[in-house]
Amino acid sequence: MDLIVETFFNLDVLREMYPFLLDGLWMTLQLCIVIVPCGIVAGLCVAILFSFRFRPLSWLVIVYVDFFRSFPPLVLLIFIYYGLPFVGVDIPDFAAVVLALTLNTSSYYGEIFRAGIESIPRGQWEAARSTGLGFLQTMRYVIVPQAARNVAPDLTSNTLEVIKVTSLASVVAMPELLRLARVAQGLTYNPTPLIAAAAIYFVLLWPLVRLLSRMERRMIAGR
Amino acid sequence: MDKKSPILDVQGLRKSFGGLEVLKGIDLAVHPQELVFIIGPSGSGKSTLLRCCNRLEEATSGSIWVDGVDVLSRSTDINRLRQRIGMVFQSFNLYPHMTALGNVTLALRKVLKLKRDEADRRGRAALDDVGLRDKVDAYPYQLSGGQQQRVAIARALALEPKIMLFDEPTSALDPELVGGVLNVMRAMRKSGMTMVVVSHEMRFAREAADRVIFMDQGEIVEEGRPAEIFGNAKHQRTRTFLQNVLAG
Amino acid sequence: MDQIVANFFDLEVMARYLPDILSGFVLTIYLAVAIVLFGLALGLALAVVRAFQIRPLNWLIVFFVDLFRALPPLVIMIIFYFALPYVGVELGGFVAAWLALGFVLAAFAEEIYWAGILSVDKGQWEAARSTGLPFFRTLRSVVLPQALRLTIPPLTNRTIAITKGTALASVVAVPEILSQATAAQAFAANTSPLTMGAIAYLILFAPLVTLSRWIETRFAWRR
Ligand SMILES: Nc1ncnc2c1ncn2[C@@H]1O[C@H](COP(=O)(O)OP(=O)(O)OP(=O)(O)O)[C@@H](O)[C@H]1O
Ligand SMILES: [Mg+2]
């Protein structure tokens, strides 16, 4: 028992290393603050392009979505991070991570919004257009408000996934929470920083998980 | 009425949901081959009474005996007892992923542990009894409401119960489908089944019931032969209820 | 243009490292199958136990589910691989990746199965119990078959998303596709192996993503 406490919950190590973890947390938050909105906006664009119901465009959108859903995000990240410099494109690390994870997540957000828009019956479009509302007005005042309710659980779920996926940035030496926890582990020869990082993630994300399982249950019960 | 011991014997049955007392001391004895009809306004506790009899609902106090077995005793094997108490629901509750025959034979195979062909034989016979010989392989969604309810009756009948409880078996049916279900119930009565029926089919009650019980607010207000209850009920509450039902 | 071809599609480099990528491909499939079998089975077992509604057990299950939904899979994997050895538990990379992703899948699957069980009409339970079927038999023969059908689309999506996490195993020294590809890239000082890796993932997951799209329409929540 003592061994376990000494090893995984070592307060001395924690006291020494917590500034590291806080730095990492801050970087993780920065990544989230940039990637989540980028992903949502890109996803909305994808869904709106789809809803024009112009066949070739719809196909392109589906290909885009399925293409990026087929790659593990880590593969995409490594490809962009190591690949771009080879062709002379030099972008900052932060931008490379944001680009890779946004491409990945925009396909998920796009699919969610697309399904949400699809879930609104045709009659709603026709009713709105018949009163003289334009395409974007119909979208904004009639379709999106209804779709938003339907997609809230999936949206929350995907946002949770995006936040978790920022941990992949540690693989390309981005100093976010997991990366700095590993560095701290290396410096102290003790895994307490890893456990602490896990605890931080849990405290951060647990409310979201609770909220989500409630929403999902209500969704299914409503059918 | 003969003096044989009752098949269903309910005494002093009380049932509360939280603070709400839904059954306030029910005494009811149903004798072999009797058809007892229970009527009463919505929320009077009719369904709850039936559901206590096979312990889908746990009674708060009182005693219930079915065919000489103490329903409420902890030592009673409730699953064995339930086979002897058939139950038919307002909403049929057929298993949507099984054929009519599958619905009827599930308990035969899994509870009575009958071999498949023996179970099928009994299942077919039960479906035959309710006039659905040609629907054995149909899935519930391929059947009309009336046919579904008859399958549900066959599902209970196949277990050869001592008593059948019906909770508004025709309330969810279109008017033209009610007759088929009532015919099946008539035939069951003729063959000597003991039945307790909660229903608003007053014409059927008048014609087929041995006894009609009027319940209101968790109590039995009065009971008697159909002619008595429908002709000249003693209590004002009963008369008001009947007026409303027969008018609407 | 030439530069791109030389760096991303160098056929000679590709031919040289094809065997490595292939062996990574096979290993990825092993790992994925192991994760899916373990995760779906454990998730179902947990959901069934949860149906018995035994208080302390339920709390444990909910805690397990919330924990593995909230933590990034990479964090879990790294703890299994880098932290457990401090107390003498040496799992090895493959087992660490397998257990980490298996637990994550089990957590998500439990939640989905459980929602499915809850969504089956109460009348089904009552009808079955009224014919004398015991609790477990009712669950098995009446409720689960209906619940499982409802869970197919969300479960497929979730399973695919989590099996893509096999790429994370590269971080814990499992020679699957991505780690073979990055190793080869470093040796060859050329990005073509990464291209091959990306193509390998596309071959593996694009059909699954398409399949899930089909399942979505085929088994859409309907009753
Ligand atoms: N599970 C439950 N929890 C709480 N209250 C309940 C429950 N089941 C029934 N009740 C309440 O018990 C009372 C009697 O219900 P019951 O279903 O037995 O009435 P009923 O006579 O069958 O009515 P109806 O003709 O509408 O079917 C009602 O007030 C109802 O709201
Ligand atoms: Mg009722």
Side-chain angles (χ1 to χ4, degrees), chain B residues 142-164:
Chain B
Q142 296 168 317
L143 299 172
S144 75
Q147 291 168 333
Q148 288 190 45
Q149 191 60 297
R150 278 143 68 193
V151 173
I153 293 174
R155 175 170 67 186
L157 271 185
L159 291 162
E160 297 175 351
K162 292 283 186 192
I163 182 170
M164 290 275 293

Side-chain angles (χ1 to χ4, degrees), chain C residues 1-205:
Chain C
M1 196 64 215
D2 280 356
Q3 197 191 2
I4 290 182
V5 172
N7 268 307
F8 288 91
F9 300 97
D10 186 325
L11 289 182
E12 193 226 334
V13 173
M14 282 184 157
R16 191 168 354 126
Y17 290 103
L18 183 62
D20 290 355
I21 301 284
L22 277 182
S23 83
F25 190 79
V26 172
L27 194 62
T28 293
I29 290 180
Y30 276 142
L31 184 55
V33 170
I35 290 165
V36 172
L37 292 181
F38 174 65
L40 293 184
L42 178 60
L44 184 59
L46 291 176
V48 166
V49 171
R50 192 168 174 186
F52 282 88
Q53 299 283 22
I54 305 164
R55 274 287 166 77
L57 269 179
N58 267 16
W59 289 331
L60 274 180
I61 293 173
V62 171
F63 176 72
F64 171 88
V65 168
D66 282 5
L67 185 66
F68 283 94
R69 281 179 70 167
L71 294 186
L74 184 56
V75 172
I76 301 167
M77 206 180 284
I78 282 181
I79 287 179
F80 281 5
Y81 186 73
F82 292 104
L84 289 186
Y86 285 90
V87 287
V89 181
E90 302 258 2
L91 291 178
F94 189 91
V95 174
W98 173 55
L99 285 183
L101 294 177
F103 283 150
V104 171
L105 179 55
F108 278 95
E110 193 281 335
E111 195 70 12
I112 294 173
Y113 290 130
W114 179 239
I117 290 175
L118 286 186
S119 74
V120 172
D121 185 56
K122 215 168 111 264
Q124 293 291 314
W125 284 98
E126 294 183 345
R129 298 307 303 274
S130 80
T131 60
L133 288 185
F135 180 89
F136 186 69
R137 173 53 71 180
T138 302
L139 185 64
R140 208 188 113 181
S141 296
V142 175
V143 174
L144 275 183
Q146 298 177 56
L148 291 187
R149 195 187 146 83
L150 296 178
T151 60
I152 288 173
L155 212 50
T156 317
N157 285 341
R158 190 54 73 179
T159 304
I160 293 172
I162 290 171
T163 23
K164 274 191 289 180
T166 50
L168 303 182
S170 60
V171 178
V172 294
V174 177
E176 46 66 73
I177 300 175
L178 182 60
S179 76
Q180 295 281 10
T182 42
Q185 176 224 7
F187 269 124
N190 182 294
T191 329
S192 303
L194 281 185
T195 312
M196 272 202 292
I199 292 173
Y201 279 107
L202 211 54
I203 292 174
L204 208 55
F205 286 108

Side-chain angles (χ1 to χ4, degrees), chain B residues 46-47 90 167-168:
Chain B
K46 306 179 300 285
S47 301
Q90 178 175 352
D167 191 1
E168 307 201 21

Side-chain angles (χ1 to χ4, degrees), chain A residues 3-4 7-8 62 65-75 78-79 82-88 104 108 111 114-115 157 160-161 163-165 167-171 178 182 185-186 189-191 194-195 197-199 201-202 205-206 209-210 212-214 216-217 220-221 223, chain C residues 3-4 7-8 50 62-63 65-75 78-79 82-84 86-87 104 108 111-112 114-116 118-119 150 157-158 160-161 164-165 167-168 170-171 178 182 185 189-191 194-195 197-199 201-202 205-207 209-210 212-213 216 221:
Chain A
L3 174 70
I4 295 207
T7 316
F8 294 127
I62 297 248
V65 167
D66 283 358
F67 184 78
F68 285 108
R69 284 204 304 172
S70 298
F71 284 116
L74 183 57
V75 174
I78 289 195
F79 203 82
Y82 292 109
L84 284 187
F86 271 96
V87 288
N104 170 256
Y108 283 95
E111 181 64 14
R114 189 191 68 74
S157 159
L160 174 69
E161 293 305 307
I163 298 174
K164 291 194 287 180
V165 101
S167 63
L168 301 192
S170 65
V171 178
L178 177 57
R182 291 200 58 191
Q185 174 218 351
Y189 299 102
N190 179 289
L194 287 180
I195 304 297
Y201 276 113
F202 186 70
L205 297 179
W206 189 61
V209 170
R210 281 283 92 222
L212 191 56
S213 63
R214 288 203 157 175
E216 285 168 344
R217 192 138 331 136
I220 290 172
R223 275 163 217 272
Chain C
Q3 197 191 2
I4 290 182
N7 268 307
F8 288 91
R50 192 168 174 186
V62 171
F63 176 72
V65 168
D66 282 5
L67 185 66
F68 283 94
R69 281 179 70 167
L71 294 186
L74 184 56
V75 172
I78 282 181
I79 287 179
F82 292 104
L84 289 186
Y86 285 90
V87 287
V104 171
F108 278 95
E111 195 70 12
I112 294 173
W114 179 239
L118 286 186
S119 74
L150 296 178
N157 285 341
R158 190 54 73 179
I160 293 172
K164 274 191 289 180
L168 303 182
S170 60
V171 178
L178 182 60
T182 42
Q185 176 224 7
N190 182 294
T191 329
L194 281 185
T195 312
I199 292 173
Y201 279 107
L202 211 54
F205 286 108
V209 168
T210 318
S212 77
R213 198 177 273 290
E216 194 105 324
W221 302 83

